[in-house]
Structures are given as structure tokens and as C-alpha cells.
Amino acid sequence: MTEPGLVVVDKPGGITSHGVVGRVRRLVGTRKVGHAGTLDPMATGVLVLGVGRATRLLGHLMLTDKAYEATVRLGVSTTTDDAEGEVVSDVPASGLAPDAVLAAFATQVGAIEQVPTAVSAIKVDGKRAYQRVRDGEQVELKARPVTVHELVVGEQRVVGEHLDVDISVRCSSGTYVRAIARDVGTALGVGGHLTALRRTAVGPYDLGAARTLEQLEEDPSVLPVAEAARAAFASIDLDEDEAGSVRVGRALERDLDGLTALFDPSGEFLALYEPRGEVARAVAVFV
């Protein structure tokens, strides 16, 4: 079995995140593989997987910020707010003024209240919203606070009677780029949906660190858990006495700035600690 660690996959289109997990389970020889945040089947790009005991790291990884490249088609609305849904409205949008398009996207930047798309993985009374939609139910989700740190509007292209707009987005976890497309289209009075979505970064892991499934078939190695922890968190190398205390989860007389990865003198990743009062206490011990 492969050592514990992370696998950063460049997910292809047309496969679910669970399908990617299944492929990687076979390649690394263990069922203990999990992912940090799903990607829709049509979406491509960065999908972070944990292998072995590194799956416990996924929930603690500071993967709050994500980055995307996307194409929005203005003039067409769909049931899923992306190209996989059924068209519910189709109106001319090729005559939209470029400045009006820019202004509409500008309203999506900053701390906003966003209603998730109805076919999201959010649970409603214990059942995924997308499953309720598939079962023919009407789903009304409540707006949630999200943050769009940056939204850059690129090329605007007339395609028939519609307008395609390329955007780059850097946002908090829980932000739906599909909802941005929907809301901009609504604001402009023409509707909108995503025709393409590529995630370019999740936390500290970007496409430069990602490998395709074909590359993983040739070399199913993982990013060792120690390297993954150093990439994602502040880190401290301990002396042997402190390392001994951390191995059994004792509090440390340390002044930490936040969630911190702790290592023994040999470089082994021991635990994540956080400041609590006058001391640092264990959040998760990995040895």
C-alpha cells in the first residue's frame, strides 16, 4: 500500500469526484481515500485527495480559498445553472453593452449573500438538494454568506444571439460559480449559465502540483503527509522532549499564531495544535 499523503488530481470532465476517488483507490491499493471538496462532472481541475491517515488531514487543511476559470453564457438559463441542465429560457443577449456586463459582475465581488444552486450537495432535512431535484421535488435553499475575493472579467464574445464571457474567480469555500453566472444573468435580464468551469487552485495546491489520471496510472506516488502539512500550515520543529509530549497529546507551553503543524527532530509530522488560552493544545494527533 502507498504511504499516507495527498494526491492532487487534475480532474477531467465527464467524471464525478467519487469516480476519481475510485480510480485512485485502485492505483494506491487502499480504500482509505477521501476528497476535500467535490467538483461537478462537467468541471475540470484541482481535486485534492487524502490517502491513508492523511484523510484525517483533509478536514483541517486550510482549503478555504479556491480559484476558478469559467465561461458564462448570457442569454440562456438552465435548471442546473450549467450546461448539463435543461434550458428554461433563451433570449437574445448579443446586444448587451460591455460596460453593463462589467457592472453586473462587479456586484458579485466581496462579502455577498448567495443562494446556492438547487442541484448542490447541500443537505435539506438529511437529503442532498440535487437528489431532491432529481426526485421531482421543488427545492428552495436559503442564501448563505460567501466571499468573492477577486473576479476578473476577460473576453466577451458574441455567439449567435448570446454572449459568452470568460471570468477568473478567487473565492471562499462554499461559493458557487454557477450561482454567479445565474445571478449576473438575472441582473442583466437575460439569464445565464456556465458552459465551462476549471478549478485552478484549492488552498496552497494549484494546477502546477496536479497530475492527470493518466500520469497517476504511470506513477501513483503521493505527496507525503509531512510535506502536505508544511505546505498548508505554519510549522514548528520541536526538540525531543516536546515531541514526546505531543505524541501523547499533552498541552505545550508555546505561543502559536493559529493552527500549526508540529514535527519531531527527524521531520516526522506529529500533530496539529492551536492556541487555547496560555498554552497550545492538540487539534489532531497523527502518530
Side-chain angles (χ1 to χ4, degrees), residues 11-22:
K11 186 187 98 59
I15 183 173
T16 65
S17 296
H18 185 70
V20 173
V21 168

Side-chain angles (χ1 to χ4, degrees), residues 247-269:
R247 285 190 179 95
V248 294
R250 292 197 193 102
L252 288 182
E253 297 290 333
R254 282 273 190 168
D255 182 19
L256 304 181
D257 290 331
L259 196 59
T260 302
L262 303 181
F263 298 80
D264 73 6
S266 72
E268 182 183 11
F269 173 51

Side-chain angles (χ1 to χ4, degrees), residues 64 122 140 241:
T64 50
I122 294 170
E140 297 288 339
D241 286 343

Side-chain angles (χ1 to χ4, degrees), residues 7 9-28 30-31 33-35 37-43 47 49 130 212-214 216-217:
V7 178
V9 180
D10 184 352
K11 186 187 98 59
I15 183 173
T16 65
S17 296
H18 185 70
V20 173
V21 168
R23 292 273 293 271
V24 172
R25 281 174 174 162
R26 177 179 59 79
L27 291 174
V28 300
T30 177
R31 288 198 57 78
V33 177
H35 60 74
T38 60
L39 275 176
D40 296 328
M42 72 163 268
L47 185 67
L49 308 184
Y130 63 75
T212 64
L213 290 173
E214 289 75 20
L216 287 168
E217 289 276 358

Side-chain angles (χ1 to χ4, degrees), residues 5 15 21 27-28 67 79 87-88 98 112 136-137 153 159 165 185 214 224 233 254 259-260 279 284:
I15 183 173
V21 168
L27 291 174
V28 300
T79 53
V87 173
V88 294
I112 62 175
E137 300 178 38
V153 178
V159 180
V165 184
E214 289 75 20
F233 304 99
R254 282 273 190 168
L259 196 59
T260 302
V279 297

Side-chain angles (χ1 to χ4, degrees), residues 15 18 37 50 78 82 86-87 101 113 121 134 140-141 147 159 162 168 178 186 192 200 206 219 221 227 232 257 286:
I15 183 173
H18 185 70
T78 72
D82 64 22
E86 296 178 12
V87 173
V101 172
E113 292 285 324
R134 287 173 186 166
E140 297 288 339
L141 297 174
T147 301
V159 180
H162 307 126
S168 299
R178 282 180 292 165
T186 298
T200 57
D206 60 16
D219 176 19
S221 61
E227 288 184 35
D257 290 331
F286 288 82

Side-chain angles (χ1 to χ4, degrees), residues 21-124:
V21 168
R23 292 273 293 271
V24 172
R25 281 174 174 162
R26 177 179 59 79
L27 291 174
V28 300
T30 177
R31 288 198 57 78
K32 198 168 185 183
V33 177
H35 60 74
T38 60
L39 275 176
D40 296 328
M42 72 163 268
T44 67
V46 175
L47 185 67
V48 179
L49 308 184
V51 176
R53 62 187 170 91
T55 55
R56 294 180 54 219
L57 193 64
L58 295 178
H60 303 287
L61 282 169
M62 290 184 287
L63 303 180
T64 50
D65 284 359
K66 298 178 172 66
Y68 298 90
E69 302 283 340
T71 300
V72 177
R73 176 157 294 173
L74 296 172
V76 180
S77 297
T78 72
T79 53
T80 57
D81 303 323
D82 64 22
E84 296 192 320
E86 296 178 12
V87 173
V88 294
S89 72
D90 187 334
V91 301
S94 57
L96 288 170
D99 286 349
V101 172
L102 290 174
F105 277 104
T107 66
Q108 300 296 306
V109 180
I112 62 175
E113 292 285 324
Q114 185 185 72
V115 177
T117 182
V119 287
S120 67
I122 294 170
K123 285 188 175 181
V124 179

